[in-house]
Amino acid sequence: MADEPIAPFPDDVLELLRDEAEVDIETWSEPRGSRRTTIWVVVADGAPYVRSVRGEDGRWYRDLRLEPHCAIYVNGRRIEARAIPADDRASVEACSRELARKYAGDPAVSVMLVPHVLPTTMRLEPA
């Protein structure tokens, strides 16, 4: 029996993530437990995406590769999610396009678009 497709995040959650400049992501690792990191998030083609500015060296990214369950904290809300690697060309391009649009006035956006960080693109799905 095939896995049921996961329902997307509700529209109000997508709008919140689309509009908020920064969110906190909570990840877990052994033996440290949980940790929160402030990151950028974009919504492209109806799905939230995150990318590690430090590439594979980003702690939260490494945590998610080992344990994909996470929580996003935004505007006083806790949103449980599961991070799915999204390093296919379409996902990477969609995420890059939205990063460039959403953070156009921020000089740090260029670091999010360099080749070595592109493979760290992850899509968030409801947990």
Side-chain angles (χ1 to χ4, degrees):
M1 181 174 188
D3 289 338
E4 293 280 328
I6 300 216
F9 283 106
D11 289 342
D12 67 316
V13 170
L14 292 175
E15 184 177 335
L16 187 60
L17 296 174
R18 186 180 293 114
D19 294 345
E20 195 67 30
E22 294 180 332
V23 301
D24 283 346
I25 189 166
E26 182 178 38
T27 59
W28 292 268
S29 66
E30 293 295 332
R32 287 185 204 84
S34 68
R35 86 171 61 228
R36 286 192 196 182
T37 306
T38 302
I39 63 169
W40 288 355
V41 62
V42 296
V43 175
D45 303 327
Y49 288 89
V50 294
R51 180 179 290 163
S52 172
V53 70
R54 291 189 172 93
E56 292 184 2
D57 292 333
R59 168 52 77 187
W60 68 265
Y61 172 77
R62 292 193 324 256
D63 289 348
L64 287 179
R65 294 295 292 175
L66 296 173
E67 170 51 63
H69 291 92
C70 61
I72 301 295
Y73 291 84
V74 57
N75 252 5
R77 288 182 68 179
R78 182 180 193 273
I79 302 163
E80 291 193 31
R82 180 176 170 87
I84 308 298
D87 55 3
D88 60 282
R89 183 178 178 164
S91 295
V92 168
E93 288 177 357
C95 181
S96 293
R97 181 179 61 249
E98 284 304 305
L99 283 165
R101 184 199 62 76
K102 184 174 181 178
Y103 301 102
D106 192 318
V109 73
S110 62
V111 179
M112 296 293 280
L113 305 174
V114 296
H116 82 276
V117 304
L118 301 180
T120 65
T121 304
M122 301 189 97
R123 185 180 68 252
L124 299 178
E125 295 182 348

